[in-house]
Amino acid sequence: MITTVIFDIGNVLVDFDWDGFIHRMFPGREELISELDEAVWGEGRWDRLDAGEEPEEVFASIIAHDPEHESELRKVFENAGDTLKKRPATPIWLKDIKSRGYRILYLSNYSQYMMKKKPEVLDFLPLMDGGIFSCDVKLIKPDRRIYECITKRYNLIPNECVFIDDIERNVKAAEDFGFKAIRFVTLEQTQKDLNTILGE
């Protein structure tokens, strides 16, 4: 019997549109965008923010990788909150699941830096029963230890939980841990898959 639904946040409950953001910032500059993407995301540099490292240290590492574009990278950092946007369907969805008697938690790779940049996109959190942000435990999905962490904190039985994430490796890790898991592609597909698991 399922008792708990665990949600990722980015691109599940909130839009995280890096590609649109960077193209709006530097329209038509594909070579620059490619270089900035590599500087920010290569070798897990941005992931270090989600793992709780100090923003100044992470940004210094990113700039060191591509010092030629320091001014553009600093513009990216300053405006990074513009990657995030509310999803109007989120509170409706959460209230519906909650009304059916399930506990709802979050398990998200998320940084304090991004929380401070756009706090309003997380205004649905009071509807939930708790959860874990990666930056607070200094672990990021798909590390097995972060699934262990939420299980221990909320006294969960893995096979009584459904985990929803948009990234395949995180879904696979959750399944390997013992959760039932759904990869979010669209809201309609995910709701259908969730209702199937819940037997509704």
Side-chain angles (χ1 to χ4, degrees), residues 126-181:
L127 299 173
M128 305 185 80
D129 298 303
I132 286 177
F133 286 119
S134 60
C135 60
D136 294 332
V137 295
K138 301 192 185 312
L139 296 168
I140 61 172
K141 297 174 294 184
D143 189 324
R144 182 181 178 88
R145 291 174 296 172
I146 198 168
Y147 302 98
E148 292 173 347
C149 188
I150 196 168
T151 301
K152 290 176 182 176
R153 182 173 297 184
Y154 293 98
N155 296 312
L156 304 176
I157 298 171
N159 65 10
E160 294 181 358
C161 300
V162 183
F163 174 72
I164 300 170
D165 198 296
D166 65 306
I167 297 176
E168 181 61 36
R169 65 179 178 272
N170 298 340
V171 171
K172 177 67 164 56
E175 288 177 332
D176 290 345
F177 182 71
F179 292 152
K180 299 183 186 305

Side-chain angles (χ1 to χ4, degrees), residues 18 24 45 58 69 86-88 118 149 156 160 200:
W18 171 267
R24 288 191 300 273
R45 281 180 282 272
V58 176
H69 295 122
K86 290 184 183 183
R87 288 187 172 176
K118 204 77 171 282
C149 188
L156 304 176
E160 294 181 358
E200 299 178 6

Side-chain angles (χ1 to χ4, degrees), residues 4-194:
T4 307
V5 182
I6 306 170
F7 290 89
D8 176 36
I9 291 180
N11 286 330
V12 174
L13 300 179
V14 166
D15 280 330
F16 177 72
D17 183 15
W18 171 267
D19 194 54
F21 160 73
I22 200 77
H23 278 85
R24 288 191 300 273
M25 185 167 286
F26 304 105
R29 302 179 66 185
E30 295 301 324
E31 184 175 346
L32 170 64
I33 287 169
S34 178
E35 291 172 356
L36 296 179
D37 281 345
E38 170 57 28
V40 171
W41 297 100
E43 299 177 2
R45 281 180 282 272
W46 186 269
D47 290 343
R48 290 165 51 189
L49 269 183
D50 291 342
E53 288 194 35
E54 288 298 319
E56 294 77 11
E57 295 177 8
V58 176
F59 298 156
S61 171
I62 291 171
I63 290 168
H65 180 80
D66 190 3
E68 180 183 349
H69 295 122
E70 178 174 355
S71 63
E72 291 91 344
L73 287 166
R74 291 196 178 279
K75 184 178 178 183
V76 167
F77 304 150
E78 180 59 32
N79 294 282
D82 292 341
T83 59
L84 298 168
K85 185 180 178 183
K86 290 184 183 183
R87 288 187 172 176
T90 289
I92 299 168
W93 190 20
L94 296 178
K95 288 175 183 177
D96 175 64
I97 295 170
K98 189 85 165 157
S99 72
R100 290 188 259 165
Y102 299 100
R103 180 163 52 168
I104 50 176
L105 303 172
Y106 57 88
L107 181 63
S108 180
N109 289 354
Y110 216 105
S111 67
Q112 285 287 341
Y113 183 79
M114 293 298 281
M115 288 183 213
K116 291 174 182 175
K117 281 291 180 184
K118 204 77 171 282
E120 63 270 23
V121 300
L122 298 175
D123 62 3
F124 57 83
L125 289 182
L127 299 173
M128 305 185 80
D129 298 303
I132 286 177
F133 286 119
S134 60
C135 60
D136 294 332
V137 295
K138 301 192 185 312
L139 296 168
I140 61 172
K141 297 174 294 184
D143 189 324
R144 182 181 178 88
R145 291 174 296 172
I146 198 168
Y147 302 98
E148 292 173 347
C149 188
I150 196 168
T151 301
K152 290 176 182 176
R153 182 173 297 184
Y154 293 98
N155 296 312
L156 304 176
I157 298 171
N159 65 10
E160 294 181 358
C161 300
V162 183
F163 174 72
I164 300 170
D165 198 296
D166 65 306
I167 297 176
E168 181 61 36
R169 65 179 178 272
N170 298 340
V171 171
K172 177 67 164 56
E175 288 177 332
D176 290 345
F177 182 71
F179 292 152
K180 299 183 186 305
I182 298 167
R183 184 177 182 189
F184 185 105
V185 180
T186 68
L187 178 60
E188 182 180 17
Q189 157 264 323
T190 303
Q191 289 177 327
K192 182 178 179 182
D193 290 348
L194 179 59

